Amino acid sequence: MAKTGIFGGTFNPPHLGHKKLAVSAAEQLGLDRVLIMPASIPPHKQPVQLASAGDRAEMCRLTFCDDPRFEVSTLEIERGSKSYTVDTLDALRQIYPDDEFYLVTGSDMLDGFKKWYRWQDILKKAFVCTAIREKGAKLDYSGYTEEEKARFIPLTLEPTVISSTEIRKMLGRGEYGETLLAPGVIDYIKANGLYADRFPEYRKKVEELLDPDRLAHSYGVSRAARKLALHYGADADKAELAGLLHDIMKNAPKEEQKAVIERGGHKFTDVELANSKVWHAMAGEAYLRLELGVTDKEILSAVRYHTTGRAGMSLLDKIVYIGDFISEERDYPDVGTVRKYACESLEKAILYTSAYTVRTLAAAEKPIHPDTLDCYNDILLNLGKDEK
Ligand code: DGI
Ligand code: FE
Ligand code: FE
């Protein structure tokens, strides 16, 4: 029977303290394999400096996978924001029907373990390996039955003096913690521009105006846009900023959205008046220009057209439009298809998503903004599919 350890964490970023702890647990428990399990982070718990789930998983690979016992599992990331350990254990049971499971964490799990969702079931499904504060010390089992006690295993783990929070602070100052992070992780953070708080003033504004879910979405789109920009050779900082700002008016009351659009000099058409879903994009552009003094035409355009698209979209328009569809917290059924297309060609992704938008709006007998139709036709014709 193989022994499989499960080492979960935020890993934002993973560091050498995590590695040391996992190696030590593997040795003390005689584990055959350790699954490194980056967690998905619910919107209201997201720190300002959060790397995307994909980036955290990749940094875990760079940190742990030089040791053949370690494997990165994206199970919880794929399941999305609500991941209970007990469900993870059930999912792992499907993959490893005969293994013994050992849950490993860095801190004393006994503190607060009874608050874990279905903790009794967790104890039935896995050994819970919990750190003791010093060698020879006993775990405090008060309140557990004999049967439950037998499922806890004490581990002597040196408490890590390194913390991801401290490392993020250093990275924010442009220090790379050469002795704290795996060399591959440092290169990865540099290449992808992770953990820099590049637009603190705009970030504060967005934090002030958006609810936690919308804020998490905005961070998600800013990260997706930065990635797309790096992939397609656009200005990564501009893409990140446009992504951060794209929904800035989404939580404002409709009347306020309408007012700022008019103040910005726009005359509503009848279709637009009947189409309040698209107002937040128009209002966003006007608000950025009038209230926040944004003058960058490319950013203003990307925000303005992020919902509808338009004919003749710029590279930045396309990046923000698609970033909005593939942001990591999006979980509509065919998001995987759009993510795949987005890596191959922005136009291919836009054709797919704009066709979907047109189809859904027409099916629900809702008005369709002319820019939405122009976007669809323009991309279709340019991809040479008009003869189809
Ligand atoms: O703001 P988000 O939710 O992140 O996404 P979004 O800006 O793409 O807005 C999506 C909503 O806008 C969705 O409910 C579909 C709607 N929408 C997009 N294009 C049109 C539209 N609604 C109408 N009525 N007409 C459009 O052309
Ligand atoms: Fe939007
Ligand atoms: Fe959005």
Side-chain angles (χ1 to χ4, degrees), residues 10 16 59 71 87 90 92 97-98 176 185 210 237 247 258-259 266 273 290 306 325 344 346 360 370 378:
T10 312
L16 296 176
M59 289 188 286
E71 248 171 72
D87 298 328
D90 285 341
L92 289 175
D98 302 318
Y176 285 94
V185 168
L210 298 178
D237 287 353
D247 272 341
K258 191 157 175 278
H266 184 78
L273 279 174
L290 301 175
H306 85 264
F325 275 96
E344 296 167 15
L346 286 171
T360 330
D378 183 47

Side-chain angles (χ1 to χ4, degrees), residues 90-122:
D90 285 341
L92 289 175
R93 179 55 70 216
Q94 305 291 315
I95 308 171
Y96 306 105
D98 302 318
D99 285 17
E100 260 177 0
F101 293 144
Y102 294 78
L103 274 184
V104 176
T105 63
S107 56
D108 184 346
M109 275 212 210
L110 275 177
D111 297 344
F113 183 65
K114 286 192 175 176
K115 292 206 185 78
W116 288 39
Y117 178 62
R118 291 173 54 196
W119 63 268
Q120 286 105 330
D121 290 328
I122 295 178

Side-chain angles (χ1 to χ4, degrees), residues 28 92-93 114 139 217 233-234 240 244 246 269 297 314 338:
Q28 287 179 53
L92 289 175
R93 179 55 70 216
K114 286 192 175 176
L139 291 175
H217 166 69
E240 180 179 331
L244 178 69
H246 83 286
T269 64
K297 293 263 185 320
S314 70
V338 183

Side-chain angles (χ1 to χ4, degrees), residues 249-270:
M249 279 287 101
K250 186 84 177 186
N251 289 149
K254 292 281 180 201
E255 280 317 304
E256 212 175 288
Q257 295 184 15
K258 191 157 175 278
V260 73
I261 295 169
E262 284 171 339
R263 207 145 50 79
H266 184 78
K267 298 252 177 303
F268 278 90
T269 64
D270 287 345

Side-chain angles (χ1 to χ4, degrees), residues 214 217 247 250 275 280 306-307 324 330 361 367 369 372:
R214 188 53 57 179
H217 166 69
D247 272 341
K250 186 84 177 186
N275 230 334
H280 75 282
H306 85 264
T307 303
D324 199 9
R330 293 286 199 203
L361 290 169
H369 194 285
T372 302

Side-chain angles (χ1 to χ4, degrees), residues 198-358:
R198 266 175 286 266
F199 310 105
E201 299 306 318
Y202 289 117
R203 172 174 63 73
K204 280 184 203 130
K205 205 70 210 167
V206 172
E207 279 170 0
E208 184 188 308
L209 293 172
L210 298 178
D211 65 51
D213 283 347
R214 188 53 57 179
L215 186 62
H217 166 69
S218 301
Y219 289 148
V221 175
S222 74
R223 290 190 291 262
R226 182 174 188 89
K227 260 202 166 15
L228 287 171
L230 290 170
H231 187 69
Y232 287 105
D235 183 328
D237 287 353
K238 252 190 208 190
E240 180 179 331
L241 181 56
L244 178 69
L245 298 171
H246 83 286
D247 272 341
I248 193 161
M249 279 287 101
K250 186 84 177 186
N251 289 149
K254 292 281 180 201
E255 280 317 304
E256 212 175 288
Q257 295 184 15
K258 191 157 175 278
V260 73
I261 295 169
E262 284 171 339
R263 207 145 50 79
H266 184 78
K267 298 252 177 303
F268 278 90
T269 64
D270 287 345
V271 183
E272 282 165 352
L273 279 174
N275 230 334
S276 67
K277 283 262 165 75
V278 308
W279 293 0
H280 75 282
M282 304 160 76
E285 186 273 344
Y287 181 83
L288 294 179
R289 186 159 43 85
L290 301 175
E291 301 291 332
L292 299 191
V294 174
T295 52
D296 189 300
K297 293 263 185 320
E298 288 183 293
I299 292 178
L300 292 172
S301 166
V303 172
R304 166 74 177 78
Y305 295 104
H306 85 264
T307 303
T308 56
R310 64 174 167 121
M313 288 166 92
S314 70
L315 179 55
L316 197 73
D317 290 347
K318 292 175 182 174
I319 284 173
V320 174
Y321 178 95
I322 287 301
D324 199 9
F325 275 96
I326 65 170
S327 170
E328 66 183 278
E329 79 297 333
R330 293 286 199 203
D331 60 356
Y332 54 91
D334 46 357
V335 65
T337 310
V338 183
R339 289 193 177 121
K340 183 167 132 306
Y341 288 171
C343 298
E344 296 167 15
S345 138
L346 286 171
E347 292 71 27
K348 196 171 163 183
I350 295 173
L351 180 61
Y352 184 89
T353 51
S354 68
Y356 170 85
T357 303
V358 169

